[in-house]
Every structure is written in structure tokens, then in C-alpha cells.
Amino acid sequence: MNLADSAFLRACRRQPVPHTPVWYMRQAGRALPEYHKVRAGVPMLTACATPDLIVEITMQPVRRYGVDAAIFFSDIVVPLKAIGVDLDIKPGVGPVVADPIRDAKGIDALRPLEPGDVPYVTEAIRALTGELGGTPLIGFAGAPFTLGSYLIEGGPSKNHDRTKAMMYGEPKLWHQLMERLSGIVAEHLRLQVEAGASAVQLFDSWVGAVAPEDYREFILPHTRRIFDGIADVPRIHFGVGTGELLGVLGEAGADVVGVDWRVPLDEAARRVGPGKALQGNLDPAILLAPWEVVERKALDVLRRGKAAEGHVFNLGHGVLPSTDPDQLKRLTELVHEF
């Protein structure tokens, strides 16, 4: 099958589809026993820099579930690590940064990303596109606000206090940091597309912490710059808790706006406005319930998704580690039959 004719890419472009395409955030890993087997004893950042492992882990859910797209196995902090930021992913905690950025000196230390910094990304994507055939590969990166929050806070944060303190209190410094990060992210995504990724997703996991007018002033210009640099493949933009931001997220330049589970898709379509496809948005926790519940809720998502000009079925956030893989397989089949 010709890649351009895949249901996933057609839905992203708001073209007619043979069935609603489906893939799952964090489908590669966590819930799969075969993932835990190949990852045994291998630290996360080592796995993300080992082409053979990247290929195997990316392929596992495609083989098992028959999803319409693969998502490149990596982590949003990979480009930061590649340019020399001293960080590690601690199990059960997340990314932890040794020297949080609090001043101009810290920002100056963030050098631009170069192709030679991430050779394993290019190598893995080339191998994957050969193996995936007619199944598209989604490249991805973390957005500047979310990466900036990890760098400023020194790790995961509930309220992003220090991040917002810099944003409101030192706007000049804030924009310098966002500019530096958006350059790194744009290059990271460009390299993935050049290597053969058919679409990209920008994860702004924590941006729901910001009010719409603050998003417009402090974040939108930088996100727009990233999307403007990638014109030849569908671009997906996703954040968590972004119900109030859906309209402005749509303005940032993506072709597809990802919606978490808090806003029904028909309402999301109204907030985002015309000219965009939507992705989402079954609550990942529903997969822990009996199948009848999953089926009922998934069909509701599919029906509401008809309000959008294009719909890619997904969860409203990542697959939970305790999810039964058989539930995801049945869900994929249900979406395809709808």
C-alpha cells in the first residue's frame, strides 16, 4: 500500500478514510510483556540511544494490535541529553535535571542540536520505515514549555511554580529560553522527517497549567515557529488539561489537535474551529474497566468524532502500565469495524 493512502495520513489531512484510523500514545512499551523483556536491565536513556532496541520496541504494538501508525520509541528529554544537559530518567519519578536553569548562564549552555548529536535517531528511523512498509511512522518531540518546566524545576512539578515565576517575573529570560528550546525541538523534528517519519507529534504535556492569554503571549510564538519549520508532513499538537486552550492550540500551526479525555470531541471540534482534524480521546483508565464499558465509551468517542473534519482515534493520554494488551487489541478492532 502507498503510504500516502494510509487511513492515518488521510485522516490527518481531512480526506475520506476507509475506517477511522487508530494508534495509542505510549503504545510502545509499559503495558506490553515483550517490552519489559527487551528493556530488562536497560536504563531508559540507553534504550532511547540504541537503534536495534528502538526499532524492536516501536514495532511491538504494530505487530500486536494492528494499529494504523507507529510512534517512534524515545523520550522528550533525548535531545536535551544529546546536547550535554546533565539529566537522567529516574524510574517512578521521571526526568531529573542535575543543574536546573535559573539564569542567563544556564540558558547559554543550551547549544543548538546538530545531526551528529543523535545518529541513533536517524539510523533507527531509516530501519523502521523499511520494516513498516505501508504503516506510517510518527516522529515526536516535547514542546518548549514542557521541556522548559523540567529544566527550570529540575524535575516533574505539580504546580510549575518556578517555571511560572520566570515566565511572569523575567519575561526576557523566559523568551530566550523558549527561543533556544524551540530551535532544538524544530531541528529534532526536522531530522526525524528527513530520515523518513511520515508525521510528527509535538507533546506539550504540561501546558494545561497556563491560561489562554498567557499561552498566547509566552508560548504561542515559539510553538508556531516549530510548526512553520515542518511543512511537508502532518503535524499533531497534544497537551494534557488543555480544554481551555483548544482554540489557541489550533492557531499554533498543527494540522491535527490532540484532545485529552476531559472535553467531548464534538465540543472540541467547536472550540478548535474549522480546518483542523482532531485526535483522541478515550480516557486511558476506561481500559481498566470491563469490555462492555470500554465498548460503550469508545463508540461514544467515535460518534462524537464525526463532528470533526478528520478524526484519528486515540486515548486522551498515554496507555497506563496496568492495561491488559488484549483490551487494546479488541479496541483497535472495534474502531476499525465502526
Side-chain angles (χ1 to χ4, degrees):
M1 185 183 80
N2 182 356
L3 249 183
D5 280 337
S6 77
F8 168 74
L9 293 175
R10 289 183 67 85
C12 289
R13 296 190 169 112
R14 313 195 312 284
Q15 295 165 338
V17 288
H19 59 261
T20 302
V22 51
W23 70 278
Y24 306 110
M25 286 183 275
R26 296 202 180 125
Q27 64 187 15
R30 290 175 66 167
L32 291 174
E34 54 266 45
Y35 166 77
H36 292 290
K37 199 172 159 191
V38 298
R39 266 290 313 278
V42 183
M44 180 64 175
L45 287 170
T46 306
C48 293
T50 310
D52 294 356
L53 263 181
I54 297 170
V55 172
E56 171 56 24
I57 294 167
T58 303
M59 290 300 299
Q60 284 174 350
V62 180
R63 293 186 204 118
R64 191 189 260 256
Y65 306 136
V67 283
D68 295 279
I71 176 109
F72 187 68
F73 174 73
S74 189
D75 189 273
I76 62 169
V77 299
V78 162
L80 298 180
K81 181 80 174 171
I83 60 163
V85 176
D86 185 357
L87 60 80
D88 196 17
I89 296 174
K90 300 231 160 109
V93 181
V96 177
V97 178
D99 302 303
I101 289 179
R102 305 278 160 82
D103 53 28
K105 194 163 144 269
I107 294 171
D108 289 341
L110 295 173
R111 65 169 179 82
L113 182 75
E114 289 160 19
D117 294 325
V118 285
Y120 41 86
V121 169
T122 308
E123 191 186 321
I125 288 178
R126 288 195 179 132
L128 275 164
T129 48
E131 212 165 307
L132 282 161
T135 303
L137 175 67
I138 305 166
F140 87 95
F145 177 85
T146 294
L147 292 178
S149 176
Y150 282 123
L151 288 172
I152 296 166
E153 306 285 346
S157 164
K158 252 200 171 75
N159 302 313
H160 311 280
D161 313 358
R162 288 177 182 275
T163 307
K164 289 181 168 185
M166 184 191 287
M167 188 174 85
Y168 294 129
E170 300 179 82
K172 192 163 166 250
L173 198 62
W174 172 262
H175 284 294
Q176 278 173 351
L177 176 61
M178 291 295 103
E179 212 159 283
R180 191 65 61 100
L181 287 172
S182 57
I184 291 163
V185 171
E187 178 63 7
H188 190 48
L189 288 174
R190 195 187 64 75
L191 288 169
Q192 292 176 66
V193 172
E194 218 167 67
S198 309
V200 294
Q201 174 155 311
L202 188 66
F203 282 86
D204 212 346
S205 314
W206 306 134
V207 81
V210 174
E213 57 274 22
D214 293 329
Y215 181 93
R216 203 178 283 282
E217 181 181 347
F218 294 109
I219 300 160
L220 181 63
H222 307 288
T223 312
R224 196 175 264 154
R225 175 189 164 197
I226 293 166
F227 285 131
D228 284 350
I230 306 154
D232 33 5
V233 299
R235 300 153 296 178
I236 309 166
H237 193 14
F238 173 74
V240 184
T242 50
E244 296 300 322
L245 299 177
L246 287 171
V248 68
L249 285 183
E251 290 172 36
D255 306 286
V256 184
V257 176
V259 184
D260 78 4
W261 67 92
R262 294 169 177 88
V263 180
L265 285 183
D266 44 358
E267 171 58 18
R270 192 188 66 75
R271 292 185 192 186
V272 170
K276 304 283 173 193
L278 296 185
Q279 176 177 285
N281 73 340
L282 187 73
D283 185 338
I286 285 170
L287 287 162
L288 308 180
W291 170 250
E292 309 69 80
V293 181
V294 177
E295 184 178 40
R296 188 178 78 243
K297 294 283 196 179
L299 289 171
D300 183 57
V301 169
L302 286 160
R303 288 186 195 107
R304 291 174 187 273
K306 286 177 176 287
E309 294 175 26
H311 178 211
V312 175
F313 188 94
N314 206 315
L315 304 179
H317 198 196
V319 174
L320 296 169
S322 53
T323 307
D324 176 355
D326 290 343
Q327 290 274 60
L328 282 167
K329 185 159 176 43
R330 282 184 84 174
L331 178 57
T332 308
E333 288 162 2
L334 176 75
V335 175
H336 286 163
E337 283 160 13
F338 175 68

